């Protein structure tokens, strides 16, 4: 963390306001909750400050002075609390007394619902119990992760489990990490929160060079189910720039096609969208997997009855299930083609996105990381002007006294005793189809790029290549690569290959 900038922020009007809002001694913390969430809504329009306030009040009346929260800040105590607490509705009497009713809102065994309330519960915890911290982006955990990245806070790995209690316990693990950061930087509780939610956004580089969407290789369904959703998507004809977060498949990749289906009472396919970011896995969301969608285009309406009446589409498992559980269901290429054919019979589909066309390229059997390197990456490197002597594979780096770091591809390395600098490195993996796998590959490549003071870093797998620029301080904006595309496109589209050559061609890298 940049102490000079942080101290300047604390003295600013925005900083003073943030510190006041997170003051744990505040006598009206519920008012503060509403104002905090109203400010954060500017960065996540899915936030409803009034709804958050209502839930925090509900939690307050249920859990204030609750015996389950007595004791030290240990995982054992928190796990016991996670297992036993439940929430009941409340009434306010004529004497303005709060009385809990028999109406159960969240039962003891409803861990999925409990985890989905973490943003509200964590606000209550923060203002009432030491060492508990707020996690405030209910549907955009990626924003929280981005702010932690900006402050160099290494979050613990997200658990992957069908036992939703583990997501409640993950909240505890995050609190431990945030407490360590707070102690290391000698921050008060209010300073930690102001730093995380108002200072960190100023440190996120949002001016990095943007890239065009990669050509799509996958198609997914998502669904809308209420009037607010309908009101939003109906506006895309007058405002094509609309973006929003929708439940989707975690394996959704940037550029993928997403088919928007309106559930009852509309019951028809409304529009076709593109994923403008990677799929998001959020441990504190009832629907764990979401994606940010944009570039929405209205399409000829295909009703549920149309799908049932079509001899091909009616046999799809999701149609046979009456389109129940549609969020994140994959459409195969031939299924999407058939859907487009149905739309074409009803109207113009020239503006609708198409899947990446088939090609005769055969990379052979790709079973190992080595296959990615030998059969996909190295041939394209040679087309970009490189010869094998220009890079070193599995280069050993001195990292401390004993540790050895081994990047996959290091270009033009220099160093008298150990290779100490290299302008460009690539880390190759077999599969980065999940967000976690891609983040792990990024973190690994980033660590090598820092050690070698590289200016360009790449990561790739059997499907695609992603290139990042490294700034003078060794930092990389993980959310803003300077190039990203699928291998099939790179190999077959001369314009894409030319653009790649302008970024990582041999002559370009040698001149860095």
């Amino acid at each position: 963390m940049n102490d000079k900038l942080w101290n300047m922020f604390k003295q600013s009007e925005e900083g003073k306001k943030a510190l006041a809002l997170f003051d744990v001694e505040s006598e009206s913390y519920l008012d503060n909750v509403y104002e905090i969430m109203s400010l954060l809504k500017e960065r996540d329009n899915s936030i409803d400050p009034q709804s958050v306030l209502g839930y925090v009040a509900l939690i307050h009346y249920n859990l204030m002075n609750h015996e389950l929260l007595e004791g030290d800040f240990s995982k054992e105590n928190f796990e016991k609390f996670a297992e036993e607490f439940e929430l009941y509705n409340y009434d306010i009497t004529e004497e303005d007394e709060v009385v809990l009713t028999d109406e159960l809102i969240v039962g003891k065994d409803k861990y999925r619902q409990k985890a989905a309330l973490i943003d509200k519960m964590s606000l209550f915890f923060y203002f009432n119990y030491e060492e508990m911290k707020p996690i405030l982006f209910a549907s955009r955990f990626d924003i929280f992760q981005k702010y932690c990245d900006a402050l160099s806070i290494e979050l613990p790995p997200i658990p992957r489990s069908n036992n939703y209690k583990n997501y409640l316990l993950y909240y505890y693990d995050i609190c431990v990490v945030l407490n360590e950061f707070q102690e290391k930087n000698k921050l008060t509780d209010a300073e930690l929160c102001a730093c995380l939610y108002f200072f960190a956004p100023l440190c996120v580089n949002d001016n990095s060079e943007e890239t065009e969407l990669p050509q799509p290789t996958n198609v997914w369904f998502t669904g809308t189910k209420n009037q607010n959703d309908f009101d939003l998507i109906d506006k895309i004809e007058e405002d094509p720039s609309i973006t929003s977060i929708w439940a989707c498949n975690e394996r959704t990749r940037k550029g993928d096609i997403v088919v928007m289906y309106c559930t009852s009472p509309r019951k028809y396919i409304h529009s076709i969208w593109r994923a403008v970011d990677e799929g998001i896995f959020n441990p504190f969301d009832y629907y764990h997997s979401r994606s940010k969608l944009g570039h929405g285009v209205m399409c000829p309406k295909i009703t549920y009855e149309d799908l049932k009446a079509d001899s091909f589409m009616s046999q799809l498992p999701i149609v046979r299930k009456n389109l129940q559980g549609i969020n994140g269901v994959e459409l195969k290429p031939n299924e999407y083609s058939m859907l487009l054919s149905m739309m074409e019979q009803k109207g113009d589909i020239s503006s609708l996105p198409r899947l990446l066309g088939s090609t005769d390229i055969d990379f052979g059997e790709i079973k190992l990381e080595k296959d990615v390197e030998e059969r996909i990456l190295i041939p394209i490197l040679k087309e970009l002007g490189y010869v094998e002597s220009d890079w070193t594979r599995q280069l050993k780096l001195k990292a401390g006294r004993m540790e050895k770091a081994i990047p996959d591809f290091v270009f033009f390395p220099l160093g008298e005793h150990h290779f100490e600098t290299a302008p460009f490195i690539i880390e190759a993996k077999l599969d980065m189809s999940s967000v976690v796998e891609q983040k792990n590959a990024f973190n690994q490549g980033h660590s090598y790029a820092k050690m070698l003071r590289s200016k360009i870093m790449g990561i790739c797998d059997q499907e695609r290549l992603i290139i990042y620029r490294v700034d003078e301080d060794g930092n990389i904006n993980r959310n803003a690569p300077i190039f990203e595309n699928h291998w099939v496109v790179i190999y077959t589209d001369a314009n894409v290959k030319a653009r790649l050559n302008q970024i990582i061609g041999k002559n370009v890298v040698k001149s860095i």
Side-chain angles (χ1 to χ4, degrees):
M1 185 170 70
N2 187 316
D3 291 336
K4 182 178 179 181
L5 291 178
W6 164 238
N7 288 324
M8 289 174 61
F9 172 79
K10 285 195 297 182
Q11 299 304 316
S12 69
E13 289 303 314
E14 182 183 7
K16 291 176 182 178
K17 182 176 182 179
L19 290 169
L21 287 174
F22 284 106
D23 181 5
V24 293
E25 301 298 328
S26 174
E27 295 182 0
S28 56
Y29 88 87
L30 290 177
D31 292 337
N32 290 14
V33 163
Y34 182 84
E35 191 164 358
I36 289 168
M37 300 312 293
S38 296
L39 291 172
L40 296 186
K41 183 177 175 64
E42 297 174 6
R43 284 171 259 158
D44 177 10
N45 61 15
S46 68
I47 289 175
D48 182 345
Q50 191 63 47
S51 175
V52 173
L53 178 60
Y55 271 106
V56 174
L58 173 70
I59 293 164
H60 174 94
Y61 294 130
N62 273 266
L63 300 184
M64 195 64 186
N65 302 319
H66 200 296
E67 62 182 10
L68 289 175
L69 290 169
E70 295 177 358
D72 61 350
F73 179 70
S74 68
K75 194 162 189 174
E76 181 181 5
N77 283 345
F78 186 78
E79 183 171 5
K80 181 181 178 183
F81 163 75
E83 291 172 345
E84 297 187 14
F85 90 87
E86 52 193 0
L87 297 178
Y88 288 88
N89 208 345
Y90 66 90
D91 282 332
I92 299 179
T93 67
E94 294 181 356
E95 293 77 24
D96 289 333
E97 293 182 353
V98 176
V99 179
L100 295 180
T101 70
D102 293 331
E103 182 185 354
L104 185 63
I105 304 297
V106 179
K108 286 185 179 181
D109 60 342
K110 300 299 182 181
Y111 293 117
R112 186 175 185 181
Q113 291 175 269
K114 291 178 180 181
L117 288 173
I118 277 295
D119 58 328
K120 293 88 173 177
M121 283 200 293
S122 67
L123 275 165
F124 165 77
F125 289 148
Y126 170 73
F127 281 105
N128 292 283
Y129 295 92
E130 292 184 7
E131 300 179 282
M132 309 294 267
K133 309 304 179 189
I135 311 295
L136 299 185
F137 289 99
S139 62
R140 293 298 306 275
F141 189 66
D142 60 311
I143 295 179
F144 178 78
Q145 290 174 309
K146 189 184 299 184
Y147 294 166
C148 287
D149 287 345
L151 298 173
S152 298
I153 299 173
E154 185 65 32
L155 293 174
I158 298 174
R160 296 304 177 97
S161 172
N162 291 327
N163 183 351
Y164 294 103
K165 184 177 77 171
N166 289 332
Y167 297 115
L168 282 169
L169 299 182
Y170 182 59
Y171 165 67
Y172 174 90
D173 294 337
I174 291 176
C175 287
V176 170
V177 170
L178 294 181
N179 280 315
E180 291 172 352
F181 177 81
Q182 178 178 347
E183 183 177 354
K184 177 183 176 182
N185 290 278
K186 298 181 173 56
L187 303 174
T188 65
D189 290 329
E191 286 175 336
L192 170 69
C193 294
C195 181
L196 182 57
Y197 291 108
F198 291 92
F199 173 68
L202 304 177
C203 303
V204 174
N205 181 9
D206 289 327
N207 297 318
S208 298
E209 183 179 349
E210 295 185 0
T211 59
E212 297 178 2
L213 289 180
Q215 292 194 38
T217 55
N218 304 297
V219 183
W220 313 94
F221 266 129
T222 193
T224 64
K225 63 180 181 180
N226 58 54
Q227 191 59 48
N228 288 337
D229 290 345
F230 298 158
D231 291 343
L232 176 65
I233 62 177
D234 284 345
K235 295 176 182 177
I236 57 174
E237 282 192 306
E238 58 188 72
D239 184 8
S241 65
I242 288 174
T243 62
S244 190
I245 300 293
W246 298 92
C248 210
N249 194 296
E250 184 192 351
R251 294 190 294 114
T252 302
R253 300 271 65 86
K254 184 176 180 180
D256 279 358
I257 295 169
V258 181
V259 178
M260 185 77 69
Y261 176 78
C262 296
T263 59
S264 182
R266 293 190 176 188
K267 301 178 71 173
Y268 62 77
I269 293 173
H270 171 280
S271 47
I272 310 292
W273 299 67
R274 300 288 300 282
V276 298
D277 212 338
E278 306 296 331
I280 302 165
F281 185 86
N282 186 346
F284 306 126
D285 193 340
Y286 192 83
Y287 298 104
H288 284 143
S289 299
R290 294 182 181 267
S291 185
K292 185 176 183 180
L293 306 185
H295 303 276
V297 179
M298 298 284 282
C299 64
K301 294 179 183 178
I302 299 296
T303 67
Y304 171 57
E305 295 302 325
D306 290 333
L307 295 172
K308 284 207 319 181
D310 184 84
S311 60
F312 179 84
M313 298 298 289
S314 63
Q315 298 306 306
L316 299 188
I318 187 61
V319 177
R320 296 177 70 177
K321 291 196 302 182
N322 300 323
L323 301 182
Q324 297 296 310
I326 196 171
N327 294 332
V329 171
E330 185 174 10
L331 272 173
K332 296 176 182 177
N334 63 323
E335 296 165 354
Y336 182 60
S337 295
M338 182 59 68
L339 185 60
L340 290 179
S341 296
M342 292 178 65
M343 291 179 181
E344 192 171 24
Q345 296 175 18
K346 292 192 170 192
D348 182 14
I349 64 169
S350 60
S351 60
L352 299 182
R354 307 301 175 99
L355 272 172
L356 182 66
S358 62
T359 73
D360 294 330
I361 289 183
D362 182 6
F363 294 123
E365 193 172 25
I366 307 294
K367 285 189 173 182
L368 304 171
E369 187 176 294
K370 184 178 179 181
D371 297 330
V372 175
E373 298 171 356
E374 298 284 350
R375 299 181 180 183
I376 305 178
L377 176 58
I378 288 179
I380 209 70
L381 291 174
K382 291 180 176 179
E383 289 193 43
L384 297 177
Y386 293 94
V387 295
E388 293 199 15
S389 59
D390 292 331
W391 66 74
T392 300
R393 298 173 68 181
Q394 301 295 309
L395 176 68
K396 292 186 178 181
L397 303 173
K398 185 177 173 86
R401 292 185 177 181
M402 301 295 293
E403 294 179 87
K404 301 291 183 182
I406 308 176
D408 289 330
F409 284 75
V410 179
F411 296 82
F412 308 118
L414 297 173
E416 188 172 337
H417 300 293
H418 295 277
F419 290 115
E420 297 163 355
T421 64
F424 176 36
I425 68 118
I426 294 180
E427 184 66 19
K429 299 296 180 185
L430 175 61
D431 185 5
M432 301 187 303
S433 58
S434 78
V435 175
V436 172
E437 288 162 344
Q438 184 180 328
K439 183 178 180 182
N440 290 341
F442 173 88
N443 289 340
Q444 189 175 354
H446 189 190
S447 67
Y448 298 150
K450 276 187 173 181
M451 293 173 66
L452 288 164
R453 297 191 287 279
S454 303
K455 299 302 180 185
I456 305 175
M457 182 196 84
I459 57 176
C460 70
D461 68 352
Q462 60 187 322
E463 289 189 357
R464 58 186 173 149
L465 171 68
I466 310 174
I467 304 294
Y468 299 89
R469 182 167 287 124
V470 187
D471 69 19
E472 293 181 356
D473 298 321
N475 299 318
I476 303 174
N477 187 343
R478 181 163 58 92
N479 301 291
I482 57 175
F483 178 91
E484 178 178 8
N485 223 315
H486 300 279
W487 287 118
V488 172
V489 179
I490 295 170
Y491 270 87
T492 58
D493 190 319
N495 292 327
V496 172
K497 191 180 298 183
R499 183 150 49 89
L500 182 61
N501 189 53
Q502 293 172 351
I503 297 171
I504 61 166
K506 177 176 178 177
N507 293 333
V508 175
V509 172
K510 284 194 71 174
S511 67
I512 294 176

